[in-house]
C-alpha cells in the first residue's frame, strides 16, 4: 500500500472515530437532558406514580365499646381477629401454595379456584372473615401474590346464652343487630381511622408513614343487671320450663328503690357466640320479657282492690258477699274456684276471688280500674329504648260494657309484658310511688310520681302477703326468713276459636321483703303441659328460689327470722 493510501485510510478511521465520539456525546447530552427534564419538570408526576405503586391507605380498626353489668363484669367485648382477602387480578391460578391456602381457609382447591374465576374481573374478594390471628399468620407466611390479611375485631359474649336476649349481638361488620347492641349502636360503635403505609410487591406492610385520620374508640356501656342474679334466674327458669314442658318463659327482677332491671331472662335461649343453630323461625331471638304480651290474669286484682280503696266506697273492713261462688253479668257467668261466701277486702286477694273483684269494679266509676292500671304504666311503652318494646293493650270500656269492665278487674281483656307487670308493682313496694324502669345502671334514681296514697299502697301490700301464707294461692312463693307479698295469676290462652280450655299462662308477681321492699320480680311461664299449670304451682316456686337467692346475695337482712328452738341436754 502506498503512502498516500495509508494516509487516506488513517483519515477515514479518524473521521469515523470522531463520528462515534460525536454520537456518544449526543446520546449523553440526550440522556442528561432527559434526566434533567424528569428531575425538574416531571418530578411531581413520577413521585405520584411511584407512591401509587408502593403507598396504600389502610384502615385503622376502631374498638367497639365494652358492655358490662352493674359490677363491671364484661357482657360483650371485642377480640382481635383477621380478615383474609385477595385481588383476583393479581392472583396466580397456578401458584404452588393454592392447596395449602384452601386448607387454611377451610375449603378445597376446586372451590377456591372456582370462586376466584367468578370474580376474576374484580379487584377485591373476601376469602374469610374473622379468622384467628394464628391462622392468618400461616396464610401470610405462604407469600402468595394478591392475597392480603387485615386486622379487625370480633364481638365475644362471655355470659353467652344467659344474657343474650338483653345484650343482643352484632353482625360480621360490627353493627348491632339485636338487643342493647342494636339499641345503643351509635354509642358503642367506634369510628375507624386511616393511615398511610408502604407495602412491598406481596402487599405486606413494611412501613407506617403517617396517620391520615384519627381513630375514635367506641364508648363503654354499663347495664343495670347483676350477672350473679342473671345466672341464678336463668338456671331456675330453664329448669322450670323443662320440668313443666312449657313453650317459653320469661322473668324480670327489679330494684324496688330505683326501678333498675337486676335480671332479665328468657327461654328458649341461644348462644350468641355460635348462631349456626338458630333455625329458620328465629323464635329464640325474641326478648319475651319486653316484646311478648299476655293476659296477666289475677295479678291485676291488687290494682282493682287499690282502686276500690281509693274510690272511698270501701274500707279494710268492708265485706263482699261472693255467694254462691258465681255471678251473672249480662249473660256471662263469672266463677270462683269455690263458694267463699262473705270476704273482706283482704280475703278477696288471699282467695283470688273473681266474683269479689267483679263486684268491686262494677260498683265504681267505669274508668276507676282502668285509670289505676294506666297510672302504674300499663298500656304504655316502658321507655327503656329496647328494640321492639311493646306498650301492651289497655282498652277503654264504656259504662255499659259491663262484661269487659268485669273481666279487666281480674286480668282478662288487656295485655302486658313481664317488664310492664313488674313496673306496675313498684307502687306496692314504694308506698304508692312509681318511677321509670331502666336497663342501664343509674347514678341516681329517676324522679318518682305518686299514683296512690301511701297508706293504701301499704294496706294492699299486706293483703298480698297473705297470698304466700297458709290459705293463700301462692304459698310456694314463700322464702324462709323473709316476708313475701305477691299475687298468682293463671290465664287461659286465646286460640283460633276463643279461649283454650287446656292452655294456660302461669304468672307470679311479688315483692320482698315486706318490711323494707328491695326486690320486685315477675315470672311468666307460657303453656306448661305437665299436671301442674296454676301460677301458684309453676311460677311461684321460681320466684321463691330466685328472689330468695337474690336477697342473700345482696345481703338483705331477714325480716321474718325465727330462731331455732334451743334444746337443753339433760
Amino acid at each position: 500500500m502506498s503512502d498516500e493510501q495509508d494516509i487516506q485510510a488513517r483519515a477515514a478511521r479518524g473521521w469515523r472515530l470522531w463520528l462515534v465520539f460525536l454520537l456518544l456525546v449526543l446520546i449523553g447530552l440526550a440522556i442528561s437532558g432527559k434526566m434533567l427534564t424528569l428531575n425538574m419538570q416531571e418530578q411531581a408526576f413520577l413521585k405520584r406514580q411511584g407512591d401509587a405503586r408502593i403507598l396504600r391507605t389502610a384502615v385503622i380498626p376502631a374498638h367497639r365499646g365494652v358492655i358490662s353489668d352493674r359490677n363491671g363484669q364484661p357482657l360483650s367485648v371485642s377480640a382481635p381477629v383477621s380478615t383474609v382477602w385477595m385481588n383476583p387480578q393479581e392472583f396466580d391460578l397456578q401458584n404452588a401454595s393454592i392447596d395449602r391456602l384452601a386448607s387454611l381457609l377451610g375449603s378445597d382447591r376446586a372451590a377456591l379456584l372456582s370462586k376466584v374465576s367468578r370474580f376474576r374481573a374484580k379487584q377485591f374478594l373476601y376469602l374469610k372473615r374473622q379468622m384467628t390471628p394464628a391462622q392468618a399468620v400461616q396464610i401470610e407466611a405462604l407469600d402468595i401474590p394478591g392475597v392480603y390479611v387485615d386486622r379487625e375485631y370480633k364481638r365475644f359474649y362471655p355470659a353467652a346464652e344467659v344474657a343474650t336476649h338483653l345484650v343482643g349481638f352484632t353482625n360480621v361488620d360490627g353493627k348491632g343487630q339485636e338487643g342493647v347492641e342494636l339499641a345503643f349502636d351509635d354509642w358503642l360503635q367506634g369510628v375507624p381511622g386511616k393511615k398511610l403505609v408502604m407495602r412491598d410487591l406481596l402487599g405486606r406492610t413494611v412501613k407506617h408513614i403517617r396517620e391520615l385520620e384519627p381513630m375514635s374508640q367506641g364508648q363503654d356501656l354499663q347495664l343495670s343487671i347483676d350477672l350473679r342474679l342473671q345466672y341464678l334466674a336463668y338456671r331456675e327458669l330453664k329448669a322450670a320450663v323443662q320440668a313443666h314442658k312449657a313453650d317459653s318463659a320469661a322473668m324480670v327482677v327489679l330494684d324496688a328503690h330505683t326501678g333498675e332491671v337486676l335480671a332479665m331472662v328468657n327461654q328458649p335461649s341461644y348462644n350468641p357466640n355460635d348462631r349456626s343453630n338458630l333455625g329458620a323461625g328465629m323464635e329464640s331471638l325474641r326478648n319475651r320479657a319486653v316484646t311478648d304480651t299476655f293476659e296477666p290474669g289475677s295479678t291485676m286484682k291488687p290494682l282493682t282492690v287499690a282502686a276500690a280503696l281509693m274510690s272511698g266506697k270501701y274500707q279494710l273492713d268492708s265485706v263482699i258477699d261472693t255467694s254462691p261462688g258465681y255471678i251473672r253479668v249480662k249473660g256471662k257467668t263469672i266463677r270462683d274456684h269455690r263458694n267463699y261466701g262473705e270476704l273482706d277486702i283482704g280475703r278477696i286477694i288471699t282467695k283470688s276471688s273473681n266474683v269479689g273483684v267483679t263486684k268491686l269494679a262494677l260498683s265504681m266509676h267505669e274508668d276507676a280500674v282502668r285509670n289505676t292500671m294506666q297510672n302504674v304504666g300499663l298500656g304504655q311503652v316502658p321507655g327503656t329504648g329496647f328494640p321492639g318494646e311493646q306498650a301492651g293493650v289497655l282498652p277503654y270500656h264504656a259504662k255499659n260494657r259491663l262484661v269487659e269492665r268485669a273481666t279487666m278487674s281480674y286480668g282478662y281483656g288487656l295485655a302486658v309484658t313481664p317488664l310492664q307487670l313488674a313496673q306496675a308493682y313498684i307502687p306496692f313496694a314504694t308506698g304508692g310511688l312509681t318511677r321509670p324502669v331502666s336497663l342501664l345502671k343509674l347514678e341516681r334514681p329517676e324522679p318518682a310520681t305518686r299514683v296512690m296514697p301511701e297508706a293504701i299502697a301499704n294496706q294492699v301490700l299486706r293483703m298480698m302477703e297473705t297470698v304466700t301464707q297458709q290459705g293463700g294461692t301462692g304459698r310456694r312463693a314463700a322464702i324462709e326468713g323473709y316476708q313475701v307479698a305477691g299475687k298468682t295469676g293463671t290465664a287461659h290462652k286465646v286460640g283460633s276459636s276463643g279461649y283454650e280450655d287446656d292452655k294456660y299462662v302461669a304468672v307470679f308477681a311479688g315483692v320482698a321483703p315486706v318490711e323494707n321492699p328491695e326486690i320486685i320480680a315477675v315470672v311468666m311461664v307460657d303453656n306448661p303441659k305437665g299436671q301442674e299449670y296454676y301460677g301458684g304451682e309453676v311460677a311461684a316456686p321460681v320466684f321463691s328460689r330466685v328472689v330468695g337467692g337474690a336477697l342473700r346475695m345482696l345481703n338483705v337482712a331477714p325480716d321474718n327470722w325465727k330462731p331455732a328452738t334451743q334444746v337443753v341436754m339433760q
Side-chain angles (χ1 to χ4, degrees):
M1 181 180 294
S2 62
D3 292 340
E4 184 178 353
Q5 291 175 332
D6 184 54
I7 293 172
Q8 292 177 349
R10 285 200 300 271
R13 286 196 298 272
W15 178 82
R16 287 195 292 272
L17 288 174
W18 279 105
L19 179 61
V20 171
F21 177 75
L22 180 61
L23 290 174
L24 291 175
V25 170
L26 291 175
I27 292 173
L29 290 174
I31 293 174
S32 299
K34 184 63 176 176
M35 292 177 63
L36 184 62
T37 301
L38 292 174
N39 190 55
M40 299 297 293
Q41 298 181 359
E42 300 183 27
Q43 182 181 25
F45 170 78
L46 292 175
K47 186 176 185 303
R48 288 195 301 271
Q49 292 297 310
D51 289 346
R53 287 162 173 76
I54 64 172
L55 297 182
R56 293 287 186 271
T57 299
V59 174
I60 306 175
H63 195 283
R64 190 174 175 88
V66 174
I67 301 176
S68 63
D69 82 335
R70 66 186 302 105
N71 300 314
Q73 292 298 314
L75 301 172
S76 178
V77 297
S78 294
V81 291
S82 298
T83 289
V84 181
W85 63 278
M86 74 155 52
N87 183 340
Q89 296 182 4
E90 299 176 0
F91 186 71
D92 180 11
L93 298 177
Q94 305 301 321
N95 192 286
S97 300
I98 289 179
D99 288 336
R100 178 59 178 161
L101 174 63
S103 176
L104 291 173
L105 294 174
S107 180
D108 56 60
R109 180 188 183 93
L112 177 60
L113 293 179
S114 174
K115 185 176 183 180
V116 174
S117 299
R118 291 197 309 272
F119 294 90
R120 195 64 171 171
K122 306 292 183 180
Q123 293 186 340
F124 184 89
L125 172 64
Y126 277 123
L127 292 181
K128 192 165 185 178
R129 302 289 302 273
Q130 299 185 343
M131 295 185 69
T132 64
Q135 292 174 315
V137 167
Q138 296 181 61
I139 290 178
E140 285 183 306
L142 298 177
D143 286 339
I144 301 177
V147 176
Y148 307 97
V149 176
D150 286 339
R151 302 290 184 263
E152 58 182 3
Y153 292 99
K154 177 183 180 181
R155 212 61 166 161
F156 177 70
Y157 302 93
E161 65 268 21
V162 173
T164 186
H165 289 106
L166 180 59
V167 177
F169 58 83
T170 63
N171 63 10
V172 70
D173 293 315
K175 298 290 185 180
Q177 300 297 293
E178 292 285 343
V180 169
E181 291 275 27
L182 174 60
F184 296 91
D185 188 55
D186 291 340
W187 177 270
L188 294 164
Q189 183 69 50
V191 180
K194 294 181 180 180
K195 61 183 178 180
L196 192 65
V197 299
M198 181 180 293
R199 287 178 173 167
D200 61 15
L201 293 177
L202 295 177
R204 297 172 297 192
T205 299
V206 296
K207 186 178 181 182
H208 296 270
I209 306 301
R210 65 177 180 274
E211 185 181 87
L212 300 177
E213 296 179 9
M215 173 265 294
S216 177
Q217 301 282 18
Q219 301 182 78
D220 295 342
L221 191 68
Q222 190 167 25
L223 302 187
S224 59
I225 68 169
D226 187 321
L227 192 54
R228 300 171 302 168
L229 306 188
Q230 186 80 4
Y231 272 105
L232 173 62
Y234 179 84
R235 181 189 68 200
E236 296 298 341
L237 191 69
K238 183 176 181 179
V241 168
Q242 292 174 344
H244 297 284
K245 302 179 178 64
D247 290 346
S248 61
M251 183 173 187
V252 176
V253 180
L254 297 183
D255 184 315
H257 299 292
T258 65
E260 293 170 295
V261 176
L262 298 179
M264 179 181 285
V265 293
N266 294 267
Q267 281 294 313
S269 189
Y270 66 95
N271 186 350
N273 299 310
D274 180 13
R275 301 190 290 273
S276 59
N277 297 320
L278 277 178
M282 298 294 183
E283 287 292 315
S284 58
L285 285 178
R286 296 203 312 273
N287 185 349
R288 301 170 191 273
V290 178
T291 65
D292 284 20
T293 60
F294 61 97
E295 289 183 309
S298 296
T299 56
M300 292 294 99
K301 289 174 182 174
L303 294 174
T304 300
V305 169
L309 293 173
M310 286 189 289
S311 72
K313 289 186 174 184
Y314 298 94
Q315 307 299 324
L316 284 179
D317 56 357
S318 298
V319 175
I320 303 297
D321 187 2
T322 65
S323 299
Y326 63 87
I327 184 174
R328 297 282 293 176
V329 180
K330 278 197 170 183
K332 176 179 173 60
T333 301
I334 296 174
R335 299 180 182 277
D336 280 340
H337 186 66
R338 64 179 179 84
N339 182 9
Y340 294 116
E342 292 185 344
L343 296 175
D344 61 27
I345 297 294
R347 296 281 289 171
I348 288 176
I349 291 180
T350 307
K351 295 301 183 181
S352 196
S353 172
N354 294 336
V355 176
V357 292
T358 295
K359 288 189 172 184
L360 292 176
L362 297 184
S363 68
M364 294 183 283
H365 187 275
E366 63 268 21
D367 291 337
V369 174
R370 185 188 185 279
N371 287 345
T372 300
M373 293 179 178
Q374 184 180 42
N375 289 341
V376 298
L378 301 185
Q380 306 165 59
V381 176
T384 63
F386 195 89
E389 187 176 49
Q390 294 297 306
V393 178
L394 185 63
Y396 171 80
H397 297 306
K399 185 175 182 178
N400 62 342
R401 303 295 295 270
L402 299 182
V403 174
E404 289 80 0
R405 288 170 55 198
T407 56
M408 179 180 283
S409 71
Y410 55 86
Y412 279 85
L414 70 155
V416 303
T417 65
L419 180 60
Q420 282 183 309
L421 182 54
Q423 184 180 22
Y425 271 52
I426 289 178
F428 299 129
T430 59
L433 301 175
T434 190
R435 54 172 40 93
V437 292
S438 176
L439 297 175
L440 304 181
K441 184 178 180 181
L442 302 176
E443 294 297 328
R444 60 183 63 86
E446 295 290 334
T449 303
R450 181 161 296 282
V451 293
M452 64 181 70
E454 181 177 3
I456 290 178
N458 291 335
Q459 288 169 0
V460 177
L461 182 66
R462 289 296 182 180
M463 294 177 194
M464 290 194 293
E465 184 182 1
T466 65
V467 172
T468 65
Q469 298 173 347
Q470 190 66 32
T473 58
R475 296 184 302 278
R476 296 174 68 178
I479 303 171
E480 185 178 3
Y482 296 93
Q483 294 174 285
V484 176
K487 186 68 190 76
T488 57
T490 308
H492 288 273
K493 294 194 65 175
V494 177
S496 57
S497 57
Y499 287 104
E500 301 279 356
D501 291 333
D502 58 349
K503 292 184 178 180
Y504 303 88
V505 174
V507 189
F508 187 87
V511 177
V514 171
E515 282 300 324
N516 184 21
E518 296 283 346
I519 287 179
I520 300 165
V522 168
V523 181
M524 184 278 293
V525 181
D526 182 22
N527 195 24
K529 302 179 185 66
Q531 294 182 350
E532 297 178 324
Y533 56 85
Y534 286 110
E537 298 171 330
V538 177
V542 179
F543 175 95
S544 175
R545 291 191 290 268
V546 173
V547 175
L551 292 172
R552 289 184 285 272
M553 284 182 186
L554 299 176
N555 295 319
V556 177
D559 64 344
N560 190 32
W561 185 254
K562 298 177 182 179
T565 303
Q566 294 184 355
V567 179
V568 180
M569 301 299 295
Q570 298 295 334

PDB file of all heavy atoms in Angstrom, residues 136-149:
ATOM      1  N   ALA A 136     -54.189 -16.609  60.464  1.00  0.00           N
ATOM      2  CA  ALA A 136     -53.815 -15.578  59.492  1.00  0.00           C
ATOM      3  C   ALA A 136     -52.304 -15.522  59.294  1.00  0.00           C
ATOM      4  O   ALA A 136     -51.832 -15.284  58.176  1.00  0.00           O
ATOM      5  CB  ALA A 136     -54.345 -14.225  59.945  1.00  0.00           C
ATOM      6  N   VAL A 137     -51.544 -15.734  60.362  1.00  0.00           N
ATOM      7  CA  VAL A 137     -50.080 -15.732  60.249  1.00  0.00           C
ATOM      8  C   VAL A 137     -49.617 -16.833  59.300  1.00  0.00           C
ATOM      9  O   VAL A 137     -48.688 -16.640  58.493  1.00  0.00           O
ATOM     10  CB  VAL A 137     -49.439 -15.903  61.643  1.00  0.00           C
ATOM     11  CG1 VAL A 137     -47.952 -16.213  61.524  1.00  0.00           C
ATOM     12  CG2 VAL A 137     -49.648 -14.645  62.479  1.00  0.00           C
ATOM     13  N   GLN A 138     -50.249 -18.000  59.364  1.00  0.00           N
ATOM     14  CA  GLN A 138     -49.889 -19.098  58.468  1.00  0.00           C
ATOM     15  C   GLN A 138     -50.173 -18.736  57.009  1.00  0.00           C
ATOM     16  O   GLN A 138     -49.414 -19.101  56.111  1.00  0.00           O
ATOM     17  CB  GLN A 138     -50.664 -20.356  58.851  1.00  0.00           C
ATOM     18  CG  GLN A 138     -50.339 -20.893  60.230  1.00  0.00           C
ATOM     19  CD  GLN A 138     -51.114 -22.152  60.554  1.00  0.00           C
ATOM     20  OE1 GLN A 138     -50.982 -23.174  59.856  1.00  0.00           O
ATOM     21  NE2 GLN A 138     -51.930 -22.096  61.600  1.00  0.00           N
ATOM     22  N   ILE A 139     -51.271 -18.014  56.778  1.00  0.00           N
ATOM     23  CA  ILE A 139     -51.584 -17.602  55.410  1.00  0.00           C
ATOM     24  C   ILE A 139     -50.581 -16.563  54.924  1.00  0.00           C
ATOM     25  O   ILE A 139     -50.115 -16.615  53.773  1.00  0.00           O
ATOM     26  CB  ILE A 139     -53.022 -17.059  55.339  1.00  0.00           C
ATOM     27  CG1 ILE A 139     -54.003 -18.215  55.538  1.00  0.00           C
ATOM     28  CG2 ILE A 139     -53.283 -16.344  54.013  1.00  0.00           C
ATOM     29  CD1 ILE A 139     -55.456 -17.807  55.531  1.00  0.00           C
ATOM     30  N   GLU A 140     -50.211 -15.621  55.782  1.00  0.00           N
ATOM     31  CA  GLU A 140     -49.217 -14.611  55.392  1.00  0.00           C
ATOM     32  C   GLU A 140     -47.884 -15.261  55.056  1.00  0.00           C
ATOM     33  O   GLU A 140     -47.160 -14.807  54.148  1.00  0.00           O
ATOM     34  CB  GLU A 140     -49.038 -13.602  56.527  1.00  0.00           C
ATOM     35  CG  GLU A 140     -50.180 -12.607  56.656  1.00  0.00           C
ATOM     36  CD  GLU A 140     -49.926 -11.588  57.746  1.00  0.00           C
ATOM     37  OE1 GLU A 140     -49.660 -11.987  58.894  1.00  0.00           O
ATOM     38  OE2 GLU A 140     -50.001 -10.385  57.454  1.00  0.00           O
ATOM     39  N   ALA A 141     -47.547 -16.326  55.759  1.00  0.00           N
ATOM     40  CA  ALA A 141     -46.266 -16.996  55.524  1.00  0.00           C
ATOM     41  C   ALA A 141     -46.196 -17.660  54.149  1.00  0.00           C
ATOM     42  O   ALA A 141     -45.094 -17.971  53.665  1.00  0.00           O
ATOM     43  CB  ALA A 141     -46.014 -18.034  56.615  1.00  0.00           C
ATOM     44  N   LEU A 142     -47.320 -17.898  53.495  1.00  0.00           N
ATOM     45  CA  LEU A 142     -47.320 -18.510  52.164  1.00  0.00           C
ATOM     46  C   LEU A 142     -46.792 -17.561  51.088  1.00  0.00           C
ATOM     47  O   LEU A 142     -46.389 -18.000  50.012  1.00  0.00           O
ATOM     48  CB  LEU A 142     -48.737 -18.968  51.789  1.00  0.00           C
ATOM     49  CG  LEU A 142     -49.364 -20.041  52.694  1.00  0.00           C
ATOM     50  CD1 LEU A 142     -50.783 -20.342  52.238  1.00  0.00           C
ATOM     51  CD2 LEU A 142     -48.515 -21.318  52.663  1.00  0.00           C
ATOM     52  N   ASP A 143     -46.807 -16.228  51.355  1.00  0.00           N
ATOM     53  CA  ASP A 143     -46.322 -15.220  50.404  1.00  0.00           C
ATOM     54  C   ASP A 143     -46.948 -15.373  49.021  1.00  0.00           C
ATOM     55  O   ASP A 143     -46.242 -15.385  47.998  1.00  0.00           O
ATOM     56  CB  ASP A 143     -44.789 -15.287  50.287  1.00  0.00           C
ATOM     57  CG  ASP A 143     -44.096 -14.719  51.509  1.00  0.00           C
ATOM     58  OD1 ASP A 143     -44.750 -13.941  52.230  1.00  0.00           O
ATOM     59  OD2 ASP A 143     -42.925 -15.058  51.742  1.00  0.00           O
ATOM     60  N   ILE A 144     -48.254 -15.476  48.987  1.00  0.00           N
ATOM     61  CA  ILE A 144     -48.958 -15.617  47.711  1.00  0.00           C
ATOM     62  C   ILE A 144     -49.318 -14.229  47.192  1.00  0.00           C
ATOM     63  O   ILE A 144     -50.032 -13.482  47.878  1.00  0.00           O
ATOM     64  CB  ILE A 144     -50.227 -16.465  47.872  1.00  0.00           C
ATOM     65  CG1 ILE A 144     -49.859 -17.863  48.404  1.00  0.00           C
ATOM     66  CG2 ILE A 144     -50.986 -16.573  46.569  1.00  0.00           C
ATOM     67  CD1 ILE A 144     -51.068 -18.743  48.665  1.00  0.00           C
ATOM     68  N   PRO A 145     -48.857 -13.859  46.002  1.00  0.00           N
ATOM     69  CA  PRO A 145     -49.210 -12.552  45.442  1.00  0.00           C
ATOM     70  C   PRO A 145     -50.726 -12.407  45.301  1.00  0.00           C
ATOM     71  O   PRO A 145     -51.420 -13.327  44.866  1.00  0.00           O
ATOM     72  CB  PRO A 145     -48.526 -12.560  44.062  1.00  0.00           C
ATOM     73  CG  PRO A 145     -47.425 -13.559  44.189  1.00  0.00           C
ATOM     74  CD  PRO A 145     -47.935 -14.610  45.122  1.00  0.00           C
ATOM     75  N   GLY A 146     -51.233 -11.245  45.695  1.00  0.00           N
ATOM     76  CA  GLY A 146     -52.659 -10.973  45.563  1.00  0.00           C
ATOM     77  C   GLY A 146     -53.481 -11.363  46.773  1.00  0.00           C
ATOM     78  O   GLY A 146     -54.679 -11.083  46.820  1.00  0.00           O
ATOM     79  N   VAL A 147     -52.894 -12.035  47.773  1.00  0.00           N
ATOM     80  CA  VAL A 147     -53.603 -12.447  48.982  1.00  0.00           C
ATOM     81  C   VAL A 147     -53.134 -11.565  50.139  1.00  0.00           C
ATOM     82  O   VAL A 147     -51.938 -11.450  50.388  1.00  0.00           O
ATOM     83  CB  VAL A 147     -53.358 -13.933  49.319  1.00  0.00           C
ATOM     84  CG1 VAL A 147     -54.035 -14.305  50.627  1.00  0.00           C
ATOM     85  CG2 VAL A 147     -53.860 -14.812  48.193  1.00  0.00           C
ATOM     86  N   TYR A 148     -54.079 -10.946  50.843  1.00  0.00           N
ATOM     87  CA  TYR A 148     -53.768  -9.970  51.876  1.00  0.00           C
ATOM     88  C   TYR A 148     -54.502 -10.313  53.177  1.00  0.00           C
ATOM     89  O   TYR A 148     -55.549 -10.965  53.162  1.00  0.00           O
ATOM     90  CB  TYR A 148     -54.151  -8.558  51.421  1.00  0.00           C
ATOM     91  CG  TYR A 148     -53.548  -8.180  50.090  1.00  0.00           C
ATOM     92  CD1 TYR A 148     -54.288  -8.305  48.913  1.00  0.00           C
ATOM     93  CD2 TYR A 148     -52.249  -7.686  50.011  1.00  0.00           C
ATOM     94  CE1 TYR A 148     -53.742  -7.959  47.683  1.00  0.00           C
ATOM     95  CE2 TYR A 148     -51.694  -7.334  48.789  1.00  0.00           C
ATOM     96  CZ  TYR A 148     -52.446  -7.473  47.631  1.00  0.00           C
ATOM     97  OH  TYR A 148     -51.891  -7.140  46.423  1.00  0.00           O
ATOM     98  N   VAL A 149     -53.958  -9.816  54.283  1.00  0.00           N
ATOM     99  CA  VAL A 149     -54.551 -10.024  55.614  1.00  0.00           C
ATOM    100  C   VAL A 149     -54.705  -8.672  56.294  1.00  0.00           C
ATOM    101  O   VAL A 149     -53.749  -7.901  56.374  1.00  0.00           O
ATOM    102  CB  VAL A 149     -53.683 -10.960  56.476  1.00  0.00           C
ATOM    103  CG1 VAL A 149     -54.263 -11.071  57.881  1.00  0.00           C
ATOM    104  CG2 VAL A 149     -53.581 -12.340  55.842  1.00  0.00           C
TER     105      VAL A 149
END
